[in-house]
Amino acid sequence: MDCPTCGKSLSTERGMRQHHTKVHGDPLPNRTCSGCGLAFYDPKARREYCDDCDPNAGEHNGNWRDATELTDCTRCGSTFEYYPSDKPGVYCSDCVEAAEGLLPDNPSVKAERVTVGCQSCGDDLEVRPARIDEQERGFFCTLSCYGDWLSANVVGPAHHQWEGGPIEYGRSWWQVRRQALERDDYECQHCGVEAAELDRNPDVHHLEPVRSFEDPEDAHVLENVVTLCRSCHRRAEDGQIAVSSAGEK
């Protein structure tokens, strides 16, 4: 097989191709274009079309330099070009370079917060504006506040934890929890610390653990709960102190 450039004879086509690439610095065609039928070179020998016929090249490619579109920057109002294959044009390059961090219209940036009051205790909370329409019952600063509000405002079958049966018999945990706090004057029944000193409501502890009942709801009765501060609650759970209900210390 002879080299088409210098005429040197080689024994195999592969040898001739290697010779032409190394000696003459120009690889020989190894593919035939399915569009125009001309031979062309592809380093990986996989392409079906040459550059002129490739349906994904040139003006057919969204990133082609002549395929840009014009739009106005939402930040400064100036007109700039962008490629339609990219994300829709929003900011010009000057605004992107000048921005500190992510630009405000970026969905990944947290929106400004608004202040609302906890439905139970009235403390201020900062929330995203979009959440206001999502919360039918309002906002609560802690789960305890949510439980207090439920106990005072939602009872009977409408309560999400009501399992049937009369509320006064403690079928709702939140109802029993509130009753226990009121019975115990919002004071720890072991050390005597008050809610005002704790800056929160005390915990309500089950004397007989919920896990010891076949029906967990049976644990939620006033006779089985006592109000304790967080510290005494942990000690009671660990068996370090003995506590009882009905305000007995």
Side-chain angles (χ1 to χ4, degrees):
M1 185 170 292
D2 297 336
C3 172
T5 300
C6 66
K8 181 177 179 178
S9 179
L10 295 109
S11 58
T12 63
E13 179 180 356
R14 181 178 180 182
M16 186 268 294
R17 289 182 178 279
Q18 291 177 345
H19 160 79
H20 203 276
T21 301
K22 293 179 180 180
V23 175
H24 303 293
D26 183 23
L28 293 173
N30 60 355
R31 302 291 291 170
T32 299
C33 177
S34 297
C36 64
L38 295 178
F40 67 98
Y41 174 73
D42 175 20
K44 296 184 179 180
R46 295 176 181 175
R47 290 173 52 188
E48 185 177 352
Y49 298 93
C50 66
D51 290 339
D52 293 334
C53 298
D54 190 348
N56 294 316
E59 61 182 1
H60 303 294
N61 192 307
N63 283 323
W64 186 47
R65 64 179 181 178
D66 291 333
T68 55
E69 295 183 5
L70 294 177
T71 189
D72 294 332
C73 176
T74 58
R75 189 175 180 84
C76 68
S78 63
T79 301
F80 67 98
E81 293 182 340
Y82 73 100
Y83 291 112
S85 61
D86 293 337
K87 295 180 180 179
V90 178
Y91 303 107
C92 66
S93 58
D94 291 339
C95 285
V96 171
E97 292 178 4
E100 296 182 359
L102 297 173
L103 288 160
D105 292 336
N106 191 305
S108 61
V109 178
K110 293 182 179 179
E112 292 184 2
R113 295 329 198 231
V114 296
T115 301
V116 298
C118 172
Q119 288 288 90
S120 180
C121 68
D123 284 354
D124 288 341
L125 303 170
E126 291 188 352
V127 300
R128 295 192 302 273
R131 291 193 60 203
I132 294 179
D133 295 334
E134 299 173 358
Q135 300 296 329
E136 297 180 359
R137 292 181 173 179
F139 295 88
F140 302 89
C141 56
T142 64
L143 184 60
S144 294
C145 275
Y146 181 49
D148 290 343
W149 182 86
L150 283 176
S151 300
N153 295 277
V154 184
V155 296
H159 195 290
H160 78 289
Q161 288 187 321
W162 192 75
E163 298 289 341
I167 285 292
E168 60 269 20
Y169 291 132
R171 302 302 294 181
S172 164
W173 160 241
W174 292 112
Q175 183 80 4
V176 171
R177 178 181 178 279
R178 185 179 186 86
Q179 291 172 352
L181 289 169
E182 292 175 349
R183 180 198 64 192
D184 297 340
D185 295 325
Y186 291 84
E187 294 181 358
C188 174
Q189 297 303 291
H190 183 76
C191 70
V193 66
E194 300 178 353
E197 299 177 64
L198 296 171
D199 199 28
R200 62 184 299 277
N201 285 336
D203 294 348
V204 176
H205 168 65
H206 288 87
L207 298 172
E208 291 293 329
V210 177
R211 62 180 177 275
S212 65
F213 290 82
E214 183 175 348
D215 183 354
E217 288 296 328
D218 292 339
H220 305 331
V221 293
L222 274 175
E223 294 76 13
N224 190 45
V225 295
V226 62
T227 301
L228 298 173
C229 67
R230 182 64 54 87
S231 177
C232 289
H233 192 181
R234 283 196 291 263
R235 295 171 63 195
E237 292 283 358
D238 292 339
Q240 299 176 10
I241 58 174
V243 293
S244 58
S245 186
E248 298 178 9
K249 299 182 183 179

